[in-house]
Amino acid sequence: MSENSEITANSLHAIVLREMESDSIQEIESNFYRNLSDFLGNLKKQEFDGIESKIKQTLIVMVSDLTSLLLHIRLEKTINSDGIDFSKLLDEEKFILDAEEQKRERTEMILSATINGKSKFLESISQNHKTKTVVLRFLKEVDEIVGVDLERYGPFKPEDIATLPYENAQALITKKAATKIHWED
């Protein structure tokens, strides 16, 4: 496919079918997900009335479902295969798989430290995790709090952004008082 092929519902369906019918990961354009995102974004911006609006909504759901299916199929093939062919994976898929690899490495690290009696190492990991910070956007007013690090934070108003210790952030997220902001370097 050329680098600038326009995405349509039919072309997406054909790509998903081709991926489903093959045991190996199929080659698709490097900017596929960005083109697909543009297609969906443009579709969502269009204004229709009556039956045309219902057709548009159905098309959005169908394209979203096909996208999810394609991504899951490609990731599942990669995770379940012995030899991963990264050359056919898209950058967005590699981003997801990086986290999978990090999860496996962390699991092995904890298991190895536990089995080999490295309690100081486990204590260090625990302490590092407790002092990990999370960037939040507040959804509600929150009074001043004392963090697990014994520092004072707040008060906060809706839409405020702050960095808090992981445990405090999780409590606020659970209470739906704040949401995590995914910050990438």
Side-chain angles (χ1 to χ4, degrees), residues 40-63:
L40 274 168
N42 290 335
L43 187 59
K44 289 177 180 181
K45 288 178 192 172
Q46 294 178 16
E47 300 278 334
F48 294 104
D49 293 325
I51 191 74
E52 289 175 331
S53 177
K54 289 181 182 179
I55 292 170
K56 178 188 101 167
Q57 284 308 117
T58 302
L59 183 58
I60 288 169
V61 168
M62 181 184 71
V63 169

Side-chain angles (χ1 to χ4, degrees), residues 64-81:
S64 298
D65 288 348
L66 283 171
T67 301
S68 179
L69 179 62
L70 179 66
L71 181 61
H72 285 96
I73 289 170
R74 289 174 62 86
L75 292 173
E76 197 66 32
K77 283 182 185 181
T78 303
I79 291 167
N80 292 334
S81 71

Side-chain angles (χ1 to χ4, degrees), residues 173-184:
I173 291 167
T174 300
K175 292 177 184 175
K176 301 208 183 313
T179 185
K180 183 176 180 179
I181 296 178
H182 297 281
W183 210 264
E184 289 293 322

